[in-house]
Amino acid sequence: MDYLGRYVKARRLALQAEQGGFSIRKLAARVGVHHSYLSKLERGESAPLTEKRIQDLARELEEDPELLLALAGKLSERLTMLAAKNPPKFLNCIKKIAAKGESWPVFDVQSLPALLHREMKERNNLERKLKFYEQEREAILDNLRNTVVEYLDSNLNLIWVSDAALKRLGCTRDEVVGGKCHKALKRCDVPCSHCAAIKSIETGKIWEESYESEDGHHWVLRGVPLTDETGKVKRVFHFSFDVTALENAEEALAESERRWRLALEGAKLGVWEVGEDVERLYLSPQWLAMLGYGPEDDASLNLRDMVHPDEFPRVFAEFQRHLHGEIPVFDSEHRLMSKNGTWKWVHARGMVIRDEQARVQRVLGVMFDVDEQKFAELELKASEARYRDLFEQAPIGIYTALADGVFVAVNTRLAELFGYVSPKDMQARVRTVEESFENPEDWPRLLRLLDRRGVVMDFERQVRRADGSLLWTSSTVRAERDESSRTTSLIAFVQDVQAAKEAEEAMNQARRQLLGVMEQLQAGVFVVDPSTNKIIYANTFLNEALGFDVVDRTPDDMLFDNQENPFCLDEASFCRYGDALSRELRLGNGRWHLCQGKVAPWPGMAKVVLVVATDITEIKQAQEVREDVERIMRHDLKSPLSGVINIPDLILESVELPEEETRLLEAVKSAGRKMLRLINASLALRQMEMGQFVLKKEQVDVLQLMQEILDENSATCLDLGVSIRLRRQGRAVERGESLHIAGDVDLLNSLFSNLIKNAIEATPYGQSVRVELDARDEKLQVSFWNPGRVPPEVEQRFFEKYATAGKVGGTGLGTYSARLMARAHGGDISMSSSNEAGTTVTVVLPYTHRGNNE
């Protein structure tokens, strides 16, 4: 063999240098052996070639085949026949060749019998292998279910036919082999028009046809050609598949197609083989591509290098057990290494193939890509773990049950709710959901609801706990159903609503008490839903006073006539005016009522308007009498005031009096004018309260007005030991400055006089009052500060009518009237007070720049 390898290598290299195309890979491909096998031959390693391969190699190297056979230690079939016919003559020829002393190697004549014996032994081995392969082929083809197999030559003569065809025709193999297939099998004189074998012979390709036989069966025909070295079709396999059952079973076909599609496209099926060298793994091209290998890579891979090292001992041990017959099938899941070094999970199954002496020849198997399946399994395990954690750690009770209510699983929280030590303890003592219900009617009611809806929300019922006590629970229950809509199982989420039930009962009790109280009141009470402006409750007193039931009516339906100030109890009004409302209205019985509304909670509703209607008809009449008296008094006081104001001027014009007497007359005139302003202001205040006041604007110098007020209060300040500081924009005001705004001079005089007087009276002896004016951004802000503190009991009611405390002779009308006057001018007033900062009252009025010393 060493002689042959050296000679082949020398010849190949010479041809490669001359014309190229004689690399090991290319030469091996043309001869039909693997390049690694040819490389071993050239290195002198054991790599025996058959006579056919040696002849192919000689043809490629342009050498005499008998020369290469001789170098391989073999004799060609022609020389063997010559030696057998005339051994002495053949030996004589060999001796003559040896006598010439040629340099190329020759055989010893004495070794010729051994050579012939070895040649015959190799031929016998080849014949046995060929016979085994033919038996293997026939066993495979004969056992194909629902498949008729015919083996034909290129003239459509039957060489072999499967048992399925013989059974279908009711004849023996000897009766049909050798005859034309259409005559022997179809009883026809001409070939079938749908014959796939004819198309395969004509095209040299696999051909497929289909047809329906006379007995109504549907067949798929496939021709598979076998060609010689020149590409000419010498033999053809003709397969006939009976697909009638699949076509008739449409549902089975759809499922089968789905399975095969998943198997072929999703499972990524591949074929593998292990030869005598059990550590060499041969993979199909599909699997090599899946692992990242290309056509140029060796299809023979080392099993030890391919299998993950953590799994190789187990895989190899399982493989050896199968080889030794300990297990019938090799079945293993393990990882294979891709070309880029990553690992891919596969599922391999295979069986050993033995020869006639039960010796292992090879192992064939299939391999599935289960990488995604493994990942899915890991994800499923993780998901199941998350579900178990969620199920066990959930803050609400959860259970699953069969359709008849038998518990399958309960979590820890549910067991705790029901008063049991653990889920196991609960399931040991309570077998079904029905047993946990206190009311026996709850279980059939739940089943009826589930049957109609599939999911039941907020199913409230009482359950009996382990200690016998009752517990209110609320459950969301879902029915799991199969394809025929039958309930197979239940899953439920259970919450403890005992506290909510008790709170609801307490609320209902409070509502009953509230309604009882309102029914006993001697005043009308009604409740309005602000979203609809409808009355949802009215007490008996109100309905009897009005003479009709007001529920489901609007508040305006209770009015005596179309009044200018209706109730306005809708949400928008309360957002605009605040959460309290007060109206003096004349209701349907013709009597006046003070209707006071307040936003309040109501059982079962977020908010309502609760209104109390108090009859004030008598008070209203008394008030009208008082207003008439006040009107008469104001009219009667104005007449003598005219004299008080005008007489001092007449006296001063007609008589020249001493300075002291003149000063007294001026004081009388000033007091008269002040009294007149007070009378006019009281009339204006009344009009403001009634919403009838119309402001008459004129230009008023605020600084001059403020100075006059300070002069009028100078004597009071002197008596009380209080000083007043007048400032503008943070500096002292000088004489002659002016600051004009549009307004009513009498109202502004009264407004500022009241606030300055209050500040003076609230200032301790020896301290001062600050008056600050700040005009900017179209607003005039006037602040009155004193170091005193407003009493806490009136702080929240500072600008309300009659709000006063600790003040001798106080009426509580000063700040009330100040707010009316400020708002009448389009402004407003506010107050802040504390022990540390003192008290500041701030008036804000509209302001327009005029430019006069401003």
Side-chain angles (χ1 to χ4, degrees), residues 633-647 672 675 679:
M633 289 179 64
R634 281 194 294 270
H635 179 270
D636 292 345
L637 285 173
K638 281 186 177 182
S639 296
L641 276 177
S642 305
V644 172
I645 295 170
N646 296 323
I647 288 174
M675 184 176 293
I679 294 172

Side-chain angles (χ1 to χ4, degrees), residues 595-748:
C595 297
Q596 295 175 304
K598 182 76 173 179
V599 174
W602 188 257
M605 299 182 68
K607 60 181 179 179
V608 296
V609 181
L610 179 64
V611 182
V612 178
T614 306
D615 192 329
I616 57 169
T617 303
E618 286 76 10
I619 298 175
K620 195 77 172 173
Q621 292 172 349
Q623 186 177 0
E624 291 175 356
V625 172
R626 189 195 64 180
E627 289 175 356
D628 291 341
V629 172
E630 289 179 353
R631 223 173 8 254
I632 293 170
M633 289 179 64
R634 281 194 294 270
H635 179 270
D636 292 345
L637 285 173
K638 281 186 177 182
S639 296
L641 276 177
S642 305
V644 172
I645 295 170
N646 296 323
I647 288 174
D649 288 336
L650 294 174
I651 294 174
L652 291 174
E653 289 177 1
S654 60
V655 180
E656 185 174 350
L657 297 174
E659 182 178 352
E660 180 65 22
E661 293 177 356
T662 301
R663 188 177 63 79
L664 291 174
L665 286 175
E666 290 289 345
V668 170
K669 184 174 69 172
S670 177
R673 288 177 178 173
K674 183 176 182 180
M675 184 176 293
L676 182 59
R677 284 199 299 271
L678 289 173
I679 294 172
N680 290 333
S682 66
L683 179 60
L685 288 175
R686 185 58 187 163
Q687 292 173 339
M688 292 177 196
E689 288 181 323
M690 298 177 64
Q692 299 172 352
F693 178 75
V694 178
L695 180 67
K696 296 179 181 179
K697 295 182 179 180
E698 59 180 302
Q699 291 298 318
V700 180
D701 187 344
V702 178
L703 289 178
Q704 179 182 347
L705 178 63
M706 197 68 71
Q707 194 62 57
E708 292 176 358
I709 295 171
L710 296 182
D711 291 342
E712 291 175 358
N713 288 276
S714 59
T716 305
C717 291
L718 185 61
D719 293 339
L720 298 178
V722 174
S723 62
I724 301 178
R725 297 179 183 179
L726 180 62
R727 300 173 63 84
R728 177 185 181 186
Q729 308 289 120
R731 60 176 177 79
V733 177
E734 299 179 0
R735 291 283 182 173
E737 286 190 56
S738 61
L739 178 62
H740 290 82
I741 66 170
D744 187 310
V745 63
D746 290 337
L747 293 180
L748 292 175

Side-chain angles (χ1 to χ4, degrees), residues 336-465:
L336 289 183
M337 186 173 68
S338 301
K339 186 176 181 179
N340 61 7
T342 59
W343 297 99
K344 181 182 286 293
W345 277 98
V346 299
H347 185 177
R349 289 177 59 86
M351 292 186 66
V352 66
I353 298 176
R354 303 178 187 273
D355 60 13
E356 295 176 349
Q357 286 74 37
R359 291 176 300 187
V360 176
Q361 287 190 322
R362 56 179 175 163
V363 181
L364 285 175
V366 293
M367 198 178 325
F368 302 89
D369 180 352
V370 294
D371 215 37
E372 295 181 0
Q373 176 184 334
K374 275 289 182 181
F375 179 76
E377 288 177 0
L378 295 175
E379 282 292 311
L380 179 61
K381 290 180 181 178
S383 177
E384 289 175 347
R386 289 194 296 270
Y387 173 77
R388 285 194 299 270
D389 290 343
L390 177 62
F391 186 78
E392 289 300 325
Q393 304 300 325
I396 63 174
I398 306 175
Y399 70 79
T400 58
L402 300 178
D404 57 2
V406 175
F407 282 120
V408 175
V410 300
N411 71 343
T412 303
R413 178 54 182 159
L414 186 70
E416 292 174 352
L417 285 178
F418 283 57
Y420 295 94
V421 176
S422 65
K424 185 177 181 181
D425 178 36
M426 178 177 170
Q427 286 185 267
R429 299 167 63 180
V430 183
R431 180 174 170 273
T432 66
V433 179
E434 184 179 10
E435 292 175 21
S436 68
F437 288 179
E438 173 63 17
N439 185 353
E441 296 298 323
D442 286 339
W443 174 247
R445 180 166 63 91
L446 175 61
L447 291 181
R448 289 193 298 271
L449 292 173
L450 285 172
D451 186 54
R452 291 199 304 269
R453 305 176 188 173
V455 177
V456 177
M457 309 287 289
D458 301 325
F459 184 75
E460 293 187 353
R461 89 277 191 217
Q462 280 186 304
V463 298
R464 186 164 295 279
R465 305 177 79 244

Side-chain angles (χ1 to χ4, degrees), residues 847-854:
Y847 166 71
T848 303
H849 294 274
R850 290 177 49 81
N852 298 327
N853 295 324
E854 299 176 15

